[in-house]
Amino acid sequence: MSLTATQGEGARRLPRLSGDWPLIVPMGLLFIGFFCGPLVLLLWVSFHNDQNMEVTGVAMWARFLGDPFYWNVVLDTVMLGVKTVALTVVLGFCTGVIYLSCGPRVRSLMLFAIVLPLLLSVVVRTFAWIVILGNEGLVNWAVMSLGLSAAPLRLLQTELGLVISLAQIELPLMLLPLLSVMARIDPNILDASHALGASRWRTMFRVILPLSVPGLIAGSLLVFASSTAAFISQSVIGGGRLIYMPLVIWQQALVVYDWPFAAVVSIALLVTVLGILTLISALGRLART
Amino acid sequence: MRTTRSFADVSYYAVIGAIGGLAIAILVVPVLVVLAISLTSAASLKFPPTGLSFRWYEALFDPVQSGHIHSAALNSLQVAGSAAGLAMLIGTLAALWLDRHRGAAGRALDTAFMSPLVLPMLSFGLAALIIVTMLRQRPSLTWLTAGHLVVVIPFVIRTVSASLSQLDRALIDSSASLGASSFYTFRRVVLPVIAPGMAAGAFLAFVASMDNVPISLFLSNARTDMLPIRLWGMMESSLDVRVAAASGVLIVVTSVLLVVMNRLVGLNRRV
């Protein structure tokens, strides 16, 4: 009796501490082999001066960092992410406010409308925007039938068209964390705000918005990361005229076969994204205090 | 008092309703637009479609015309199936370990394992290509599966961890104190609780692998063509309406799977 009791006690405090390491071994090996390994390899490859990787040196880094063209590509990529995040924050927050005021049946329908596009292939979602924004697409059909413009508007291969498409493609990534945070807001707080005479606007900005910040931050992280790396959408909707870092990596790796330079751009993309993600998280912590 | 408040209310409902309504519309409308255009009888993506026909679906399912799409789809299904199965095993084990190690080291590892969800995996796709080439191998479905694994395991870890956090520790202790072995406890107490999480995670992993671009882009070639890469190529070269038909098939299949998974494991609450 006392023996089983101590076993139970031990299992609760130190749950087989020495014996459970095999559980993590497969994941650990996989992570080292397919995550840490590739990172080290990319760094090593990037410090080669020639495409055959025979001469080591910093020539590729100098070429990347010394050329204003590539600085502009980095800036454009970051700005694409920032604009997409801004648009999804506005759209997502208003959707969240509506979600809060709906009953459970409507809520589950809304969740279906959010999760379905998320599970749908990115290629399909990008293709939809070709059909919508093209010269003979939905928007131009509406604009021309209403007589708003005589000639079709040029929407594909523009940054505006790309930001709108990416905002739709990434919106579920904003909504899912945001809605789970907003659903936890105590309805009594909103009632109290009304009872004390605050208008709905005031309640929204002074009560709902501050309580939604953690969700907005979590969503922004996912949307920024995903829109800056969205190679398919960038290349199909942006066309050849808008150049972002993923396109440069692809061109250098699979068209020019300059792997050291592709590795340099890959690492630059990783560092840039990681830097902005850290910044967004820091802003989130600042807003909460 | 009464009138000013109602004016504010009206403007509030108008603005929030308009923006929120727009957001919901732009989530749903593109899906409907693709379905509509896939039934066009014309050979272009002109909207609205000029006539109703299934000709693009017939072209899509015709093995002579669309054999390369079929083989890409089969390759994708095979890779996604193996990646999801392996991810479910490895991810569940990792989630069980992480659940017992909540200290600084455990949390750091958790963050590291989740990082493929936010890091640009294109960089890792390039690395995968360099590795395969340096080992004097050719890209194969096995390499693709291995490459997808790191990207899709986070989904399993997340859903299984969420299920584990709902497990009552007292049940494990009672099972142990009643003399059950730890494996018996796992099988009869832990497994039933985390099984829906495992299923949801495997499903999400499967979908993520089917849709993976960053890794597949670099490891796809004529033999190992993957569906998203093939469709992307068709979209880039010419606006082939078969892409619309393929999209239509994907929309129907995804919707059905989503409804089924919602019934089985409440997927909406787990993503």
Side-chain angles (χ1 to χ4, degrees), chain A residues 10-32:
Chain A
R12 192 161 60 226
R13 265 190 304 152
L14 292 169
R16 290 180 292 273
L17 191 65
S18 54
D20 65 359
W21 60 269
L23 292 174
I24 201 69
V25 165
M27 184 66 208
L29 288 179
L30 190 78
F31 195 75
I32 293 168

Side-chain angles (χ1 to χ4, degrees), chain A residues 104-161:
Chain A
R105 281 186 70 89
V106 182
R107 281 190 183 191
S108 68
L109 269 179
M110 279 174 80
L111 268 185
F112 187 85
I114 295 164
V115 176
L116 176 64
L118 182 70
L119 297 183
L120 209 53
S121 172
V122 166
V123 180
V124 175
R125 287 183 271 164
T126 302
F127 175 73
W129 283 96
I130 301 261
V131 180
I132 292 171
L133 299 178
N135 280 346
E136 296 187 313
L138 176 69
V139 172
N140 273 318
W141 169 66
V143 164
M144 286 165 73
S145 337
L146 293 172
L148 296 175
S149 165
L153 304 176
R154 186 185 165 75
L155 295 166
L156 287 179
Q157 303 192 3
T158 64
E159 200 196 17
L160 177 70

Side-chain angles (χ1 to χ4, degrees), chain A residues 108-120 125 172 175-176, chain B residues 27 203-204 207 254 258 262 267-271:
Chain A
S108 68
L109 269 179
M110 279 174 80
L111 268 185
F112 187 85
I114 295 164
V115 176
L116 176 64
L118 182 70
L119 297 183
L120 209 53
R125 287 183 271 164
L175 280 170
L176 287 173
Chain B
L27 279 174
F203 174 70
L204 292 175
V207 171
T254 310
L258 178 57
N262 260 329
L267 190 77
N268 275 350
R269 286 178 283 108
R270 296 177 194 272
V271 281

